[in-house]
Amino acid sequence: MQRQIRLAEDIISVAPENNVKDPVAFARDRFNPNFDINNLRSGAIEDLTKTHKLDFNEQFQQYIESKRKKVANATINVFHETWRYLQAFEVYRNEKFTFESFTYEFYDALVDFLTYDYVSYGFKNLQGLKVNTIGKTIKHLRLFLNDRMRRRIIPHIDISMFKTMEEQADAIYLTMDEIGTIYKIDLSHNLQLEQHRDLFVLGCYTGLRFSDFSIIRTEDIRNNMLHKKQKKSDHWVIIPLRGYAESILKNKFKNGIPKISNTEFNDSLKTIGKLAGLDSIIKFSHKKGNKKISVCKPKY
């Protein structure tokens, strides 16, 4: 125990000699019971300076690739989305940022940019993101920076001030009658719409996420029960097949569920909802800074 205490003190003592601003964080990132303090004194600290020159974008892409076999494709898409927002901020500031850029001032400016100035991809006239989208971006930026620090690719950065934020989103619900109306629409003229409609109703009756109900296989069904390991939580669920769910799986997707894009699926749902007559006006609201924005749209 005494040896380890002395080792920690030695690491801290080396930090000021090399102009390290946070000696305690410096020691925390390097300490282990077998650490050789002589390596640090012989110039290994030079590697610390080099890490500040690492290319941020290259490191972020490496991070995404390292996660590709561990998380669902939907999560990979979120990583790419976070990177796009950061790239847009870099262009907006006209300044290429490094790992030294991550200060509270950077965080504050990023949140302001995403709230008021970011132009949504594919929507030229839609400016600014919602609170939950900004919060998700900050969350994944924190996860990335923590990953680089844990791997000792970069030195310790104080990101405790990088707060995530969220607001309760307006939830739009369907009644069982409305789901029945959707299922009974004649879509025989459009195979894609019909498949997307059936898959949506299946999702309603099983409570699964798109990433799970879009990849159900024949072998997942046993004794009229659906056995599925959820991608996001990595937990098994066993769901009784009731109502339209059993009929859809046995009659519509008996040869398997066709590969479906989440984007195309969501676009189809708007058309299907419109055809089902779900056109009552719904009021949506969200915050933008300290202002409350309200928009009215048809339910579909």
Side-chain angles (χ1 to χ4, degrees):
M1 176 63 74
Q2 289 300 318
R3 179 187 174 280
Q4 293 185 25
I5 292 174
R6 286 196 300 273
L7 177 57
E9 291 173 343
D10 287 343
I11 297 174
I12 290 174
S13 70
V14 172
E17 301 169 12
N18 293 273
N19 299 316
V20 174
K21 295 179 182 178
D22 190 341
V24 175
F26 175 76
R28 184 172 59 242
D29 289 343
R30 281 152 188 78
F31 179 83
N32 71 68
N34 299 315
F35 188 85
D36 187 348
I37 191 66
N38 293 320
N39 289 338
L40 198 55
R41 286 179 170 141
S42 66
I45 196 165
E46 189 176 329
D47 294 335
L48 179 66
T49 305
K50 291 179 181 177
T51 60
H52 288 291
K53 299 178 182 178
L54 290 170
D55 186 275
F56 172 82
N57 294 320
E58 182 179 317
Q59 287 296 316
F60 205 99
Q61 293 305 315
Q62 288 180 13
Y63 171 71
I64 293 174
E65 288 305 311
S66 72
K67 296 291 186 180
R68 197 171 290 279
K69 294 181 179 179
K70 301 175 183 177
V71 299
N73 288 336
T75 304
I76 294 295
N77 290 338
V78 172
F79 293 156
H80 281 296
E81 188 177 63
T82 299
W83 181 74
R84 280 204 308 272
Y85 294 149
L86 293 169
Q87 287 291 288
F89 183 49
E90 190 173 75
V91 171
Y92 177 79
R93 286 178 28 138
N94 194 27
E95 177 185 345
K96 188 175 178 64
F97 49 80
T98 67
F99 286 102
E100 290 181 307
S101 302
F102 296 104
T103 62
Y104 179 76
E105 288 72 24
F106 173 92
Y107 162 79
D108 199 38
L110 174 62
V111 171
D112 276 353
F113 165 72
L114 295 177
T115 301
Y116 300 108
D117 299 301
Y118 178 78
V119 178
S120 293
Y121 182 75
F123 297 92
K124 296 293 183 182
N125 61 341
L126 193 57
Q127 200 162 356
L129 299 172
K130 293 182 179 179
V131 170
N132 289 340
T133 304
I134 297 170
K136 184 167 64 174
T137 300
I138 300 301
K139 168 190 169 184
H140 284 285
L141 174 59
R142 284 175 58 99
L143 288 172
F144 161 69
L145 292 174
N146 277 320
D147 177 88
R148 299 295 94 174
M149 285 188 276
R150 280 195 299 271
R151 295 176 187 273
R152 299 189 178 181
I153 295 173
I154 63 172
H156 176 77
I157 302 173
D158 182 8
I159 56 174
S160 59
M161 74 291 285
F162 284 32
K163 304 295 184 183
T164 59
M165 65 283 291
E166 63 179 344
E167 66 175 344
Q168 187 171 357
D170 291 332
I172 308 304
Y173 300 94
L174 293 177
T175 65
M176 296 303 290
D177 287 342
E178 287 172 328
I179 295 172
T181 299
I182 288 172
Y183 187 62
K184 292 171 185 175
I185 303 171
D186 182 8
L187 296 174
S188 56
H189 61 285
N190 189 318
L191 178 60
Q192 178 172 290
L193 279 184
E194 187 176 47
Q195 288 180 338
H196 289 186
R197 183 272 310 280
D198 293 338
L199 194 55
F200 173 69
V201 174
L202 177 63
C204 290
Y205 271 87
T206 59
L208 291 171
R209 301 178 181 89
F210 175 85
S211 58
D212 294 319
F213 67 67
S214 61
I215 56 170
I216 292 174
R217 299 178 180 177
T218 306
E219 57 266 30
D220 295 331
I221 305 167
R222 300 191 292 276
N223 298 323
N224 206 37
M225 304 287 279
L226 177 62
H227 299 248
K228 196 67 189 167
K229 190 174 187 180
Q230 298 177 98
K231 274 194 169 186
K232 186 173 182 179
S233 64
D234 203 34
H235 292 155
W236 281 95
V237 291
I238 302 175
I239 303 167
L241 294 175
R242 294 174 178 161
Y244 297 128
E246 181 182 7
S247 173
I248 290 170
L249 284 173
K250 288 184 177 179
N251 301 319
K252 302 294 187 72
F253 297 129
K254 60 183 177 181
N255 295 321
I257 293 175
K259 191 172 183 180
I260 292 175
S261 156
N262 200 352
T263 302
E264 290 179 344
F265 178 72
N266 287 337
D267 287 341
S268 292
L269 291 185
K270 296 179 178 66
T271 302
I272 293 165
K274 190 173 183 179
L275 291 172
L278 303 179
D279 52 9
S280 58
I281 301 301
I282 302 293
K283 184 178 180 180
F284 299 81
S285 62
H286 65 276
K287 291 190 72 175
K288 190 170 186 177
N290 60 357
K291 294 182 179 179
K292 186 175 181 179
I293 309 296
S294 296
V295 180
C296 293
K297 296 179 183 180
K299 189 169 186 177
Y300 63 79

